[in-house]
Amino acid sequence: MRNDIAYLVIDMQQEDGFHLQGFEAVIDNCAKLIDAARAASIPVIFTRHINNADASDLPPGEPLDALGRPASYCAGTRQVEILPRLAPQPGDPVIDKPRYSAFHRTELDAQLKRLGISRLMVSGVLTDACVLSTVLDAFALGYRVDLIADACTSTTSAAHYSALLIMANWVYSIELFNCEQFLRALHGDDFSSCKPASPDLFAHRPDTLPQAIARLQSSLQPSLQPQE
């Protein structure tokens, strides 16, 4: 098994202040991926988005509750804890972050470099916020990214797929999978994935967004011929 890959599980926390589309299926897929990563001796790294309870060091405009505390991901509450089903094991790194990107003002990049990691499996929430920001920074820092699309979600399918299309179009080091196909790849079996060969591969107009989403979905399905 290659030793240059780590699995980054982004913000799979108990925050329940907003609806996440198909979240139970995403939890199921993350659980499968965590189990497979552990079986393959791939490091599993968790992130938690945490806002200071006294509302200090928040980005401009961060929503507050009636008591002046952060309206979501408030430090010291149950909502910032990892979902029990996906709970880290002793020794798993947990990166607490104050902004969307897991690399911003954290030790993540330094930890990955110490481990000799050059490739990241990525899943989690929200696809169009913390996942997108983290993947863009990973690309800028020189990492290759395996994004498991159906182990991510957002508040709507449109938001989820719009972020996937942005990453597929402009993150040149990315390969997108669905969970089943990634597990096949991990086990050394034939698999299908979307590895864009040129920039802006899924270019679209507002009125052709549904067709672009359909093309992306189709690219993640098993191909008729097995890969060499």
Side-chain angles (χ1 to χ4, degrees), residues 37-224:
R38 295 196 194 285
S41 299
I42 293 172
V44 181
I45 302 172
F46 295 84
T47 74
R48 302 191 305 174
H49 191 92
I50 299 182
N51 292 319
N52 292 338
D54 63 1
S56 62
D57 190 36
L58 295 180
E62 181 76 28
L64 303 177
D65 66 15
L67 299 177
R69 301 173 304 187
S72 60
Y73 299 106
C74 182
T77 66
R78 169 187 61 80
Q79 282 76 7
V80 300
E81 301 303 329
I82 304 293
L83 292 162
R85 186 174 171 197
L86 307 178
Q89 292 184 357
D92 289 340
V94 178
I95 304 291
D96 290 342
K97 59 188 185 64
R99 297 293 188 268
Y100 289 165
S101 173
F103 290 98
H104 182 75
R105 288 166 49 188
T106 74
E107 292 298 310
L108 178 59
D109 185 45
Q111 289 194 25
L112 294 172
K113 285 182 167 54
R114 284 196 294 269
L115 292 170
I117 301 300
S118 60
R119 191 178 198 104
L120 293 172
M121 300 165 51
V122 175
S123 71
V125 299
L126 280 67
T127 320
D128 55 333
C130 296
V131 173
L132 175 61
S133 297
T134 298
V135 167
L136 290 172
D137 278 353
F139 174 47
L141 290 166
Y143 295 95
R144 303 196 72 82
V145 176
D146 294 335
L147 184 73
I148 296 80
D150 57 355
C152 302
T153 193
S154 189
T155 54
T156 66
S157 293
H160 169 69
Y161 279 108
S162 293
L164 292 181
L165 289 168
I166 290 170
M167 290 184 276
N169 280 340
W170 300 113
V171 178
Y172 306 143
S173 65
I174 202 167
E175 188 166 0
L176 296 95
F177 299 81
N178 66 32
C179 181
E180 178 185 1
Q181 294 301 308
F182 187 82
L183 294 175
R184 290 183 61 84
L186 201 59
H187 294 147
D189 299 327
D190 294 329
F191 67 92
S192 293
S193 67
C194 174
K195 191 172 184 179
S198 60
D200 214 11
L201 184 64
F202 296 94
H204 56 276
R205 304 185 306 272
D207 60 308
T208 61
L209 176 59
Q211 291 92 325
I213 292 172
R215 286 174 55 212
L216 177 60
Q217 290 173 325
S218 177
S219 74
L220 297 174
Q221 299 306 311
S223 58
L224 295 176

